[in-house]
Amino acid sequence: MRSIKTILLSLAAALLVSCGTTKTVPITGRQQSLMVSDGDVLSLSTQQYQEFMKTAKLSTNAANTAMVKRVGQNLATAVTNYLNANGMAADVQNFKWTFNLVENKEANAWCMPGGLICVYEGILPLTQDEPSLAIVLGHEIAHAVARHSAEQMSTQIKQQYGMQIGAAVLGGMGVGSNTSSIIQAIAAQGFNFKNLSYSRNHESEADHMGLIFAAMAGYDPQVAVAFWQRMAAASNNQRKGSSTSTTSTTKSSTKSTSSKPTQSTKTIHISTKKKK
């Protein structure tokens, strides 16, 4: 006989699934099950974006700032036109397109739900021109349009609360039974849209959609090949540089301890992993 706990857990999991909504990803047509509403996600992303911008330093390069805003707005217009023309006009209201260029040497850019975008100056030497920048922004915008962040949050909700026994347990944890309260609880535990690591499937989908968005905005998607090659080369150079630093540090450690055979030699490993 199944235990009462097992039955309740099964019912709780079923309840979460039944409370979800099914959405269709634009362009790819992929079906996705979401546990969070666009409004709740946008509210949290707006809060996190504003908090980040309070600590970030805007670029003082007027030409580059204007370029980022110009390319970004061209893409935003193309995406808006596509959504309106394909029966998804209701989704347009979920985007508050914002484009900022900040002083940061990291080759990076990201987009939070709602079209809240940040570009780091460090990626501009790799994009080199507006069409390549459009490839980058198109990819990031695609994450937002495809609701990839909402999917990640939905997965976390299922994992974290799917095995809890209803609202009584959540209440005992100090979490309300409504979705908004659960989202805030997850955010309080460190969920941050800026630092999300998307799955390989999400990245591939964003690549595909981003190229189409760039083309819709009038940019040549074929420049993506050269841009990705530059990104790969830069990544390889960084790995080599870090490897050299690690080797040098190891030799130094070995040398410093060689006169003291009673002490063990330690190797210091330098991480080369970068946040997206």
Side-chain angles (χ1 to χ4, degrees), residues 109-127:
W110 44 264
C111 177
M112 289 188 183
L116 307 176
I117 295 169
C118 183
V119 178
Y120 293 174
E121 287 183 325
I123 202 170
L124 297 184
L126 296 177
T127 56

Side-chain angles (χ1 to χ4, degrees), residues 96-115:
K96 311 297 181 184
W97 300 107
T98 305
F99 303 91
N100 280 305
L101 177 66
V102 301
E103 291 187 359
N104 191 312
K105 295 181 179 180
E106 183 180 352
N108 196 16
W110 44 264
C111 177
M112 289 188 183

Side-chain angles (χ1 to χ4, degrees), residues 16 19 35-37 40 157 161 166-167 170-171 174-186:
L16 280 174
C19 289
M35 304 297 301
V36 294
S37 71
D40 286 333
I157 288 175
Y161 296 120
L170 294 178
V175 180
S177 59
N178 62 79
T179 304
S180 181
S181 296
I182 294 174
I183 287 178
Q184 291 297 330
I186 289 179

Side-chain angles (χ1 to χ4, degrees), residues 5 18 34 76 87 99 103 113 125 133 195-196 208 225 269 276:
K5 181 178 180 180
S18 66
L34 303 178
F99 303 91
E103 291 187 359
L133 178 60
N195 296 326
L196 285 183
H208 175 66
V225 176
H269 296 282
K276 175 176 170 53

